[in-house]
Amino acid sequence: MFGIHDLTLFIVSGLLLNILPGPDSLLIMTRSATQGWRAGSAAALGIATGTLVHILAAALGLSALLATSATAFTVVKWVGAAYIVYVGIGLLRSRRGQPAEVATPALPALPYRKIYFQGMLTNVLNPKVALFFLAFVPQFINADAPSKPLAFIILGCIFNFNGTLWCHALALFTAFASTRLKLKPLLALWLNRATGGLFLALGLRLALSEQH
């Protein structure tokens, strides 16, 4: 439907990506640990808004690219597959003690509105988010999809919805723990490797099979 394929694989990959520690997770954990779960949820909503900005911007950019060249979408998919393989190799090479560990430094209390905008800016100003969307999402859109930008937006919204659920769960868990939360290095290491293996397999699968 809508020219989308391998939706289950997309959802699983997206969830693993959201679980990986990063700036967004750090902000949510910090705000939850210092101001409670409502502050963490405010940051999560801001991050979701920032992700939506990336989704719409990438879909509009993809639409303009397709209007320029009929073969551009295939090129985007091949370049994206190469980038996914690169990300997968980087995750597989993670070592124990590298920055997989996430700590929550203390921050001054802020109104929820400011925390929301802080979360949005943290996400919007991260160029890696935009790059990943452009590389990742087109892999699950058929070349003959009736509307590729629409399919991109649908997949992006699914990714964002699942990610927001995870972010709220992280906020609640961090506040419930009521202590500074650290992801154990060994667990983070194997999480990185599991995700890296999935991305590497996905990239190779795309490279060795016919593009949809």
Side-chain angles (χ1 to χ4, degrees):
M1 186 178 293
F2 301 109
I4 296 170
H5 62 87
D6 294 326
L7 182 59
T8 300
L9 179 59
F10 174 82
I11 292 173
V12 171
S13 302
L15 285 173
L16 282 172
L17 176 67
N18 280 303
I19 291 172
L20 284 175
D24 292 347
S25 299
L26 176 60
L27 178 63
I28 292 169
M29 292 163 65
T30 301
R31 286 303 174 189
S32 293
T34 56
Q35 289 185 244
W37 69 268
R38 290 181 178 83
S41 290
L45 290 174
I47 289 165
T49 304
T51 301
L52 186 60
V53 171
H54 281 297
I55 292 167
L56 294 177
L60 290 173
L62 181 64
S63 179
L65 185 65
L66 291 172
T68 303
S69 171
T71 61
F73 186 67
T74 300
V75 173
V76 167
K77 294 189 75 167
W78 278 111
V79 173
Y83 178 72
I84 290 172
V85 169
Y86 170 77
V87 171
I89 291 174
L91 290 170
L92 284 172
R93 294 179 63 188
S94 297
R95 296 180 180 179
R96 189 172 180 176
Q98 285 186 337
E101 184 174 339
V102 176
T104 56
L107 290 177
L110 290 175
Y112 294 152
R113 179 177 58 84
K114 289 188 176 181
I115 294 174
Y116 168 84
F117 284 109
Q118 186 180 52
M120 183 175 69
L121 288 176
T122 297
N123 192 276
V124 168
L125 299 179
N126 186 352
K128 290 184 179 180
V129 178
L131 181 60
F132 187 82
F133 268 114
L134 285 172
F136 184 64
V137 176
Q139 309 303 330
F140 298 89
I141 302 175
N142 293 324
D144 59 352
S147 175
K148 296 180 182 67
L150 177 60
F152 194 107
I153 291 172
I154 291 172
L155 287 172
C157 287
I158 291 173
F159 177 93
N160 199 17
F161 177 77
N162 291 334
T164 302
L165 290 180
W166 162 254
C167 287
H168 283 296
L170 182 62
L172 286 169
F173 177 73
T174 306
F176 178 77
S178 69
T179 58
R180 298 182 180 227
L181 182 66
K182 286 188 177 181
L183 187 65
K184 293 185 178 180
L186 185 60
L187 176 61
L189 172 66
W190 284 107
L191 181 60
N192 277 347
R193 288 181 175 176
T195 307
L198 177 64
F199 285 0
L200 183 60
L202 174 61
L204 291 176
R205 172 177 174 270
L206 292 164
L208 297 176
S209 65
E210 293 184 4
Q211 295 288 304
H212 289 269

